């Protein structure tokens, strides 16, 4: 086998300042290690290794949660639409009957029960 065709593979050397920059980018809120690694064209596993290495020996740490002042105000009542007018009393006590012949009969509560069959019979004969 021809040894001149073999290419010796060398590992890329990253400056320490750039490694620390990448670790700092990984620690930013809302940024995953994978996202930061892609941004710097670094293998994600390498970024995790640097993060472990520099987290122990550096001041590069994830931002700590902070307390924020909160002001609680009473809830303001929503503007209510004007109330709907009440239905007329006459329609509340009305029964509507639609006959097969097409007639429609509305009967109020003041109608005598005996009058209903008379009206229905008269309409059926038409």
């Amino acid at each position: 086998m021809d040894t001149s065709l073999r290419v010796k593979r060398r590992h890329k050397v990253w400056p320490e300042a750039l490694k620390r920059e990448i670790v700092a980018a990984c620690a930013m809120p809302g940024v995953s290690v994978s996202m930061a690694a892609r941004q710097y064209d670094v293998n994600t596993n390498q970024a995790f290794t640097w993060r472990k290495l520099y987290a122990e020996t550096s001041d590069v740490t994830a931002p700590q949660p902070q307390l924020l002042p909160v002001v609680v105000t009473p809830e303001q009542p929503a503007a209510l639409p004007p109330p709907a007018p009440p239905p007329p009393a006459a329609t509340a006590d009305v029964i509507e009957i639609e006959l097969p012949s097409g007639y429609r009969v509305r009967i109020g509560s003041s109608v005598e029960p005996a009058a209903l069959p008379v009206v229905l019979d008269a309409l059926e004969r038409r």
Side-chain angles (χ1 to χ4, degrees), residues 2-126:
D2 188 6
T3 58
S4 64
L5 294 178
R6 269 192 224 180
V7 176
K8 197 171 198 183
R9 194 168 183 163
R10 302 192 79 181
H11 294 286
K12 187 170 183 177
V13 178
W14 296 88
E16 186 171 339
L18 185 56
K19 291 179 192 179
R20 289 181 183 273
E21 181 181 328
I22 294 169
V23 169
C26 293
M28 297 299 291
V31 177
S32 68
V33 175
S34 176
M35 289 169 47
R38 270 184 269 152
Q39 181 182 357
Y40 285 93
D41 196 27
V42 175
N43 183 296
T44 305
N45 292 332
Q46 185 67 62
F48 272 111
T49 302
W50 292 338
R51 193 175 77 160
K52 286 181 199 172
L53 174 70
Y54 292 113
E56 296 170 2
T57 62
S58 175
D59 58 349
V60 176
T61 57
Q64 296 299 313
Q66 296 178 352
L67 296 176
L68 300 174
V70 175
V71 177
V72 178
T73 59
E75 187 174 317
Q76 299 297 321
L80 299 175
T91 60
D93 298 310
V94 173
I95 297 174
E96 185 172 298
I97 301 172
E98 189 169 334
L99 300 173
S101 59
Y103 288 107
R104 188 177 295 164
V105 180
R106 293 184 185 148
I107 304 162
S109 60
S110 61
V111 172
E112 291 293 322
L116 181 58
V118 174
V119 172
L120 294 175
D121 286 340
L123 289 174
E124 281 184 7
R125 282 186 255 152
R126 285 189 153 192

